[in-house]
Amino acid sequence: GNIIGSGIFISPKGVLEHTGSVGLALIIWVLGGGVAALGSLCYAELGVTIPKSGGDYSYVTEIFGGLAGFLLLWSAVLIMYPTSLAVIALTFSNYVLQPVFPNCIPPYNASRILSMVCLLLLTWVNSSSVRWATRIQDIFTAGKLLALALIIIVGFVQIFKGNYEELTPSNAFNFWMTPSVGHLALAFLQGSFAFSGWNFLNYVTEELVDPRRQNLPRAIFISIPLVTFVYTFTNIAYFTAMSPQELLSSNAVAVTFGEKLLGYFSWVMPVSVALSTFGGINGYLFTSSRLCFSGAREGHLPSLLAMIHVKHCTPIPALLVCCLATLIIMLVGDTYTLINYVSFINYLCYGVTIIGLIVLRWKKPKIFRPIKVNLLIPITYLAFWAFLLIFSLYSEPVVCGVGLIIILTGVPVFFLGVYWRNKPKCVNRLIESVTCWGQKLCFVVYPQGAVAEEEEAPSARSRWPASE
């Protein structure tokens, strides 16, 4: 439900543009799923070896220490998740408004307002009940799989009718440009945006039933092959209805597909995309708030964000911070220009986390590992990771440089907010006052687990002062 969002409706154009042929674009989609599968196997081992919520952040903090974990947390909270949420929310509003404005792009203000209403609604749902949030995720995941199944079925019907000219080997590998290695790296980055979310189950490990024995690895082993199959055949279906030139000129690939093949039922496509993105917003809110919660519990964010509602047991302060950051991105930034930054930072974080798997094998060889993958799996993933980052840096030095700068801006924040223990009393009083007001407004308290951890290991807890 987290993986399938707006990506499959946005990324096909970018992948095709950088590969220069239909056949190579399809190969990139299959390889993208294979790389995500390798990464998810590594994350399955990390998830059952270090069974903490927070995903990458928790593993990097445990293995490499506080500064590395904080930089990952900083880039995720500051740019990765707010930007991804903003892109998905804007995609939702554009597709919802398209029937109202059939002959033009929806007005800027209307799109922004609808995006914000959707975000605020789902923030309220996630604040009110974990069960409601997970039910919404289940329902909308089923809905978007049905929508993509419709595209795939219609594509197969087209193939049986003989409409597969673009998929024949002679046409599929007819390059209108010769892609460089840098182009291939950028194509993988575009595809990775569609696959992003494959590691999100690790963000809620502590809320899973029996994560070590069954549910975490089972969910990973089922989801990645299924999503790879769906994405690949969805792209095949697109090419039964459109030429590469038509796909590249389309601003809404699924809508163009529906207009060409579904006739009176073409309205199904914008509705399906809206359903898909609505579920994607819900999933991103659910997991990103748990990342803030985990960061605050470890002492890397203000202690207010480690509190949960006394009745609903939901991390309301963390949800509100995620919502606010996304609203700011929507108002001040051109979110689509930030997708490349997000993809680069994402892959950088994935690679550092999987390097941590190898380091953990060396540092703690006897730790209990319910799942233990062959070392060739993380090594293969890291070889691909190095290729992708090196050639992305070569092809888009400005984008990658800005991504690195975003990460490094967290270094002074870490030393001022976390490492510096003896802050002036006026700063401590201000933070304590904000914490108290936050508790009263949100009806939140520390969860039992966080209190127990603080009592057992106070030195590992926050340098940010917390209210009694």
Side-chain angles (χ1 to χ4, degrees), residues 166 237-244 246-247 250 253-254 256-257 260:
E166 300 297 340
Y238 287 155
F239 291 117
T240 64
M242 290 176 276
S243 68
E246 286 176 317
L247 192 147
S250 172
V253 178
T256 305
F257 177 87
K260 281 182 165 289

Side-chain angles (χ1 to χ4, degrees), residues 374-407:
N374 190 299
L375 268 179
L376 283 175
I377 291 175
I379 289 170
T380 304
Y381 183 91
L382 289 172
F384 168 79
W385 173 78
F387 152 79
L388 187 68
L389 290 188
I390 289 169
F391 284 101
S392 296
L393 191 60
Y394 174 77
S395 301
E396 293 286 347
V398 174
V399 169
C400 299
V402 171
L404 289 172
I405 290 170
I406 290 170
I407 295 172

Side-chain angles (χ1 to χ4, degrees), residues 215-230:
N215 287 334
L216 178 62
R218 179 189 293 168
I220 290 171
F221 297 151
I222 292 172
S223 63
I224 304 299
L226 176 62
V227 171
T228 305
F229 173 87
V230 169

Side-chain angles (χ1 to χ4, degrees), residues 23-199:
L24 190 54
L26 294 175
I27 290 172
I28 292 291
W29 282 104
V30 175
L31 290 178
V35 171
L38 292 177
S40 65
L41 288 171
C42 299
Y43 273 64
E45 177 178 328
L46 285 167
V48 296
T49 306
I50 307 172
K52 290 183 178 180
S53 292
D56 316 60
Y57 162 72
S58 294
Y59 311 145
V60 169
T61 303
E62 181 88 12
I63 298 166
F64 294 114
L67 177 59
F70 180 82
L71 292 179
L72 191 151
L73 176 71
W74 173 256
S75 58
V77 172
L78 182 70
I79 191 75
M80 283 198 309
Y81 293 114
T83 299
S84 297
L85 265 168
V87 169
I88 298 171
L90 288 169
T91 305
F92 165 82
S93 62
N94 285 335
Y95 275 91
V96 169
L97 292 172
Q98 188 161 8
V100 183
F101 303 94
N103 300 317
C104 64
I105 298 173
Y108 178 90
N109 289 335
S111 178
R112 289 298 191 279
I113 290 170
L114 183 57
S115 300
M116 292 176 184
V117 170
C118 174
L119 182 66
L120 291 169
L121 172 64
L122 286 173
T123 301
W124 174 76
V125 169
N126 277 269
S127 299
S128 301
S129 171
V130 174
R131 187 179 296 276
W132 288 4
T134 52
R135 287 281 169 82
I136 285 176
Q137 194 66 12
D138 292 342
I139 292 168
F140 280 87
T141 297
K144 52 191 162 185
L145 282 173
L146 288 172
L148 290 170
L150 174 62
I151 294 175
I152 293 169
I153 291 168
V154 172
F156 273 116
V157 170
Q158 287 289 99
I159 290 172
F160 289 138
K161 288 181 177 179
N163 299 324
Y164 53 83
E165 292 83 4
E166 300 297 340
L167 298 171
T168 58
S170 58
N171 289 330
F173 291 95
N174 181 20
F175 290 86
W176 60 85
M177 74 160 195
T178 303
S180 64
V181 178
H183 280 120
L184 293 178
L186 291 173
F188 270 112
L189 275 182
Q190 288 286 332
S192 75
F193 181 75
F195 281 100
S196 62
W198 56 262
N199 61 325

